[in-house]
């Protein structure tokens, strides 16, 4: 069975895994990104793990998921906000010079989208929208069974769709992006601002999980915050669904996976903003690959393209 290496680069940690076509993870390593040490420091560690892996496994190629924006054709990390020291870094060249294997660089949300699609739904669906709601909101688009990445790996950046032009300022510099209205960070901020406005006591340690606990106790302010955010999220999702007409919407990320109430509210509201034929046709599922989706999806970007190079474990 074919196997590929998936690398998931994040602002705090990097995960590397050997992933088989059936989704089985044969080996997995994780270490801190240490952004302040710069990209060469992290890449040296990546290369050392890759050397170890390639001594033990037959590998079809290396897929790398990394926060965008990226230039996938040149293999360059452009300007991800949480990888400041990596801006303009020729990541693929560095790894390519050490190993003669196919290498593919893709946006981290796209990698997670493709991981969810490839390992759970590739036999059943061809047109899929994946959206993750956690501290931020990201997404990925599968068209005809292939990942649609856009010009700078930026397709599916639904978190930065402006929903409320006079809304809160976003990390991207715009106002009222979906991410500022319906992500875990947004829910927490909006809730605390409203509590302060009403002269109520705010514990600085509260986060969006506490908000959902209050809502489950039918606290009216908490309920109204979630109610509004779920409406904004449904509205944002509807724009993309209306444009792409997917068969399947996969919702993932800590806020959706951890909070069934939020998932249900969004699912109930979506039909309000969709053409009937789109909403009747659409299946909605929760993501199932968990925190490994990005790493597995990066590997899947290779597995889906390479036809016949082996991947049988050798000695482990
Ligand atoms: Zn934004």
């Amino acid at each position: 069975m074919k196997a590929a290496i998936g690398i998931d680069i994040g602002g705090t940690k990097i995960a590397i895994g050997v992933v088989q076509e059936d989704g089985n993870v044969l080996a997995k390593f994780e270490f801190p990104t240490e952004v302040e040490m710069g990209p060469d420091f992290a890449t040296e560690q990546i290369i050392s793990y890759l050397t170890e892996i390639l001594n033990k496994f037959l590998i079809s190629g290396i897929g790398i998921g990394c926060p965008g924006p990226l230039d996938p054709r040149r293999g360059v990390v452009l300007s991800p906000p949480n990888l400041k020291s990596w801006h303009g870094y020729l990541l693929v060249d560095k790894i390519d010079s050490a190993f003669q294997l196919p290498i593919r660089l893709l946006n981290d949300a796209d990698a997670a989208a493709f991981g969810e699609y490839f390992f759970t739904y590739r036999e059943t669906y061809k047109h899929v929208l994946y959206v993750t709601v956690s501290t931020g909101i990201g997404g990925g688009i599968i068209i005809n069974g292939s990942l649609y990445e856009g010009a700078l790996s930026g397709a599916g950046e639904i978190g930065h769709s402006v929903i409320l032009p006079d809304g809160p300022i976003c990390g991207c510099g715009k106002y009222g992006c979906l991410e500022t209205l319906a992500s875990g960070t947004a829910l927490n901020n909006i809730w605390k601002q409203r509590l302060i406005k009403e002269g109520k006591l705010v514990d600085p340690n509260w986060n969006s999980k506490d908000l959902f606990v209050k809502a489950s106790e039918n606290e009216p302010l908490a309920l109204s915050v979630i109610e509004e955010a779920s409406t904004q999220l449904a509205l944002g999702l509807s724009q993309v669904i209306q444009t792409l007409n997917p068969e399947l919407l996969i919702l993932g990320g800590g806020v959706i996976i951890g909070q069934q109430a939020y998932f249900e509210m969004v699912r109930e509201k979506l039909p309000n903003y969709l053409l009937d034929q789109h909403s009747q046709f659409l299946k909605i599922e929760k993501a199932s690959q968990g925190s490994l989706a990005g790493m597995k999806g990066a590997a899947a970007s290779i597995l889906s393209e390479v036809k016949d190079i082996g991947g049988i474990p050798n000695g482990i």
Side-chain angles (χ1 to χ4, degrees), residues 7-269:
I7 306 177
D8 184 15
I9 298 175
T12 54
K13 62 178 195 237
I14 295 174
I16 303 181
V18 180
V19 185
Q20 278 186 316
E21 219 170 1
D22 62 358
N24 191 21
V25 178
L26 298 174
K28 183 173 170 288
F29 307 93
E30 208 172 275
F31 54 92
T33 311
E34 299 192 59
V35 175
E36 67 286 356
M37 301 288 283
D40 275 333
F41 176 79
T43 307
E44 275 165 29
Q45 290 187 77
I46 290 173
I47 288 173
S48 133
Y49 281 112
L50 294 182
T51 307
E52 194 180 318
I53 289 169
L54 291 165
N55 281 332
K56 293 176 183 161
F57 299 96
L58 282 171
I59 294 295
S60 301
I62 302 165
I64 308 169
C66 182
L70 311 166
D71 183 339
R73 285 179 210 96
R74 292 193 304 129
V76 182
V77 180
L78 294 177
S79 51
N82 58 352
L83 287 176
K84 288 219 179 327
S85 60
W86 291 54
H87 290 188
Y89 190 61
L90 298 164
L91 177 63
V92 170
D93 273 3
K94 288 274 177 183
I95 295 176
D96 192 35
S97 62
F99 309 101
Q100 303 309 310
L101 279 171
I103 301 182
R104 187 161 177 203
L105 177 66
L106 62 168
N107 175 301
D108 55 354
D110 282 350
F114 199 61
E116 292 289 345
Y117 171 72
F118 188 82
F119 294 111
T120 313
Y121 297 108
R122 72 178 189 268
E123 304 291 343
T124 326
Y125 298 102
K126 292 283 168 229
H127 309 293
V128 177
L129 172 64
Y130 163 86
V131 173
T132 172
V133 183
S134 56
T135 51
I137 295 180
I141 297 163
I142 316 291
I143 296 176
N144 264 331
S146 299
L147 189 63
Y148 176 74
E149 295 174 87
L152 291 176
S153 283
E157 284 278 21
I158 182 175
H160 298 286
S161 297
V162 175
I163 302 291
L164 209 62
D166 56 354
I169 189 159
C170 180
C172 74
K174 304 273 188 293
Y175 289 85
C177 291
L178 182 59
E179 189 164 292
T180 69
L181 304 170
S183 66
T185 313
L187 284 164
N188 191 28
N189 289 342
I190 294 165
W191 178 44
K192 285 182 177 167
Q193 281 161 11
R194 299 227 177 128
L195 283 169
I196 290 167
K197 207 170 162 189
E198 292 196 0
K200 303 240 171 78
L201 215 59
V202 174
D203 183 335
N205 294 320
W206 282 343
N207 59 33
S208 59
K209 284 183 190 153
D210 300 293
L211 165 66
F212 281 101
V213 171
K214 296 278 181 201
S216 72
E217 293 164 356
N218 288 322
E219 204 278 306
L221 180 66
L223 276 173
S224 74
V225 169
I226 295 170
E227 181 70 32
E228 275 174 43
S230 61
T231 301
Q232 311 284 22
L233 184 51
L235 199 56
L237 289 167
S238 72
Q239 314 292 316
V240 187
I241 294 165
Q242 211 52 63
T243 307
L244 297 177
N245 186 203
E247 303 153 283
L248 173 68
L249 167 65
I250 306 172
L251 290 174
V255 182
I256 288 289
I257 299 300
Q259 306 299 340
Q260 183 68 20
Y262 200 42
F263 174 75
E264 294 295 348
M265 283 167 119
V266 173
R267 181 154 68 174
E268 276 165 28
K269 286 174 182 180

Side-chain angles (χ1 to χ4, degrees), residues 293-304:
M295 185 195 80
K296 290 172 80 172
S301 73
I302 297 287
L303 294 168
S304 64

